[in-house]
């Protein structure tokens, strides 16, 4: 498979604290990579470094250039979006903001972006909420709306940071199904999540991150010992069951739900 990007010896120090140390990672075009690890393990910082939002203290991220000598288009769904209760935009207007160029658009461009926005919203089950104010959408609807926005420019890669936080079980299943479908269409997916069942059900490879890259490999090779090792006592906070791992020699007892 063709590499999409390569990370070499990536390190990040913030306020004198080591956030990431010597990360080496190669992600292939079309791959579905899940990133798991405890709070403060550097997962969000890694995404920001890959996106160029932050600069590393040491190391580099090398992207494969396309035929136009440009980096691939990347869609990004952040962990949280702060929205004022008086925010006036509708769901469709939020989705349209994902298109390149200024907003509002000239008439011809506006028709084109509106058409794509409608198609994405219909695909993600938001057709009836097109004119609904974004702040009046449910948590799951808002997440799907932001996902549609990230896809407006038809990116070849999609980065998501905790897309199921605050979403009910049905919404989590919908988002997981959408991501699996997008992956089957050849879009590279980089998913950061504490939802271990979501990761193990859909990702083709998993990276276990806690400042350093503790483990990286195919999903079916991930075992309970590895997960326990990286999460330690924090594991009981996350959704996890023995059936999600290749090995079933160790019994896991854990609390339900995400905090």
């Amino acid at each position: 498979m063709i590499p999409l990007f390569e990370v070499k010896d990536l390190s990040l120090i913030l306020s004198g604290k080591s956030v990431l140390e010597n990360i080496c990672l190669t992600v292939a075009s079309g791959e579905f990579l899940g990133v798991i690890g405890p709070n403060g393990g550097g997962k969000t910082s890694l995404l920001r470094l890959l996106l160029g939002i932050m600069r590393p203290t040491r190391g580099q991220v090398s992207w494969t250039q396309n035929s136009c000598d440009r980096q691939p288009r990347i869609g990004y769904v952040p962990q949280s979006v702060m929205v004022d209760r008086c925010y006036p935009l509708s769901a469709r207007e939020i989705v349209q903001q994902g298109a390149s160029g200024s907003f509002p658009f000239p008439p011809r461009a506006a028709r084109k972006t509106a058409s794509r926005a409608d198609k994405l919203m219909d695909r993600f089950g938001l057709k009836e909420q097109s004119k609904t104010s974004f702040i009046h959408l449910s948590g799951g609807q808002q997440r799907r709306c932001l996902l549609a926005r990230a896809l407006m420019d038809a990116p070849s890669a999609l980065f998501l940071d905790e897309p199921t936080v605050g979403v009910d079980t049905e919404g989590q299943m919908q988002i997981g199904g959408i991501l699996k479908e997008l992956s089957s269409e050849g879009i590279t997916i980089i998913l950061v999540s504490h939802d271990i069942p979501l990761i193990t059900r859909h990702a083709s490879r998993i990276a276990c991150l806690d400042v350093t890259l503790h483990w990286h490999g195919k999903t079916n090779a991930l075992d309970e010992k590895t997960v326990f090792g990286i999460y330690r006592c924090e594991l009981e906070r996350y959704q996890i069951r023995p059936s999600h791992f290749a090995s079933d020699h160790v019994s896991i007892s854990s609390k339900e739900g995400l905090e």
Side-chain angles (χ1 to χ4, degrees):
M1 298 180 71
I2 301 174
L4 179 70
F5 65 84
E6 185 176 5
V7 174
K8 293 182 179 179
D9 301 319
L10 201 67
S11 296
L12 178 66
I13 298 174
L14 296 176
S15 302
K17 179 182 178 181
S18 185
V19 179
L20 292 170
E21 295 179 358
N22 304 319
I23 306 298
C24 294
L25 179 68
T26 300
V27 174
S29 180
E31 185 175 359
F32 191 151
L33 176 69
V35 182
I36 65 173
N39 288 326
K43 302 183 299 298
T44 295
S45 294
L46 177 61
L47 281 190
R48 290 174 177 171
L49 289 171
L50 294 176
L51 291 165
I53 299 173
M54 300 172 65
R55 299 188 65 177
T57 304
R58 186 176 65 252
Q60 63 181 1
V61 179
S62 301
W63 289 86
T64 300
Q65 305 294 311
N66 60 25
S67 58
C68 299
D69 292 327
R70 296 177 181 175
Q71 288 184 194
R73 287 181 175 176
I74 302 171
Y76 176 48
V77 180
Q79 183 173 359
S80 62
V81 178
M82 300 299 294
V83 179
D84 190 284
R85 296 303 300 173
C86 296
Y87 202 56
L89 297 185
S90 68
R92 190 171 83 167
E93 288 171 326
I94 291 292
V95 174
Q96 283 182 262
Q97 284 185 328
S100 297
S102 59
F103 185 84
F105 299 96
R108 181 178 297 179
R111 288 193 294 272
K112 183 177 180 180
T113 57
S115 175
R116 175 154 177 80
D118 286 341
K119 290 179 181 178
L120 285 169
M121 295 187 74
D122 187 25
R123 178 178 183 180
F124 297 159
L126 294 169
K127 183 177 181 179
E128 300 300 321
Q129 289 76 35
S130 176
K131 297 181 180 179
T132 303
S133 174
F134 181 78
I135 63 172
H136 293 144
L137 299 176
S138 68
Q141 289 170 341
Q142 287 186 352
R143 284 292 172 176
R144 281 181 279 140
C145 186
L146 294 175
L147 178 54
R149 183 180 69 170
L151 293 169
M152 275 295 291
D153 266 350
S156 56
L158 183 64
F159 289 14
L160 306 100
D161 193 357
E162 300 287 358
T164 59
V165 168
V167 179
D168 61 23
T169 302
E170 182 180 355
Q172 292 172 14
M173 292 179 64
Q174 287 178 325
I175 291 172
I178 289 170
L179 296 181
K180 188 70 172 181
E181 190 175 280
L182 293 171
S183 177
S184 69
E185 295 171 5
I187 297 177
T188 305
I189 306 290
I190 309 294
L191 172 63
V192 167
S193 181
H194 281 311
D195 189 341
I196 295 177
L198 175 70
I199 290 279
T200 55
R201 187 177 300 118
H202 298 298
S204 55
R205 281 201 302 162
I206 293 177
C208 298
L209 186 66
D210 185 9
V211 182
T212 62
L213 190 59
H214 284 257
W215 187 89
H216 177 226
K218 292 184 178 180
T219 301
N220 59 13
L222 180 67
D223 58 24
E224 298 167 27
K225 182 179 180 181
T226 301
V227 176
F228 267 110
I230 187 173
Y231 278 94
R232 297 180 292 277
C233 61
E234 198 177 344
L235 181 62
E236 67 177 11
R237 299 177 58 208
Y238 309 118
Q239 294 178 340
I240 185 170
R241 287 293 180 271
S243 59
H244 297 299
F245 300 101
S247 171
D248 59 358
H249 298 301
V250 181
S251 176
I252 295 177
S253 176
S254 63
K255 298 179 181 179
E256 289 282 356
L258 287 168
E259 292 185 0

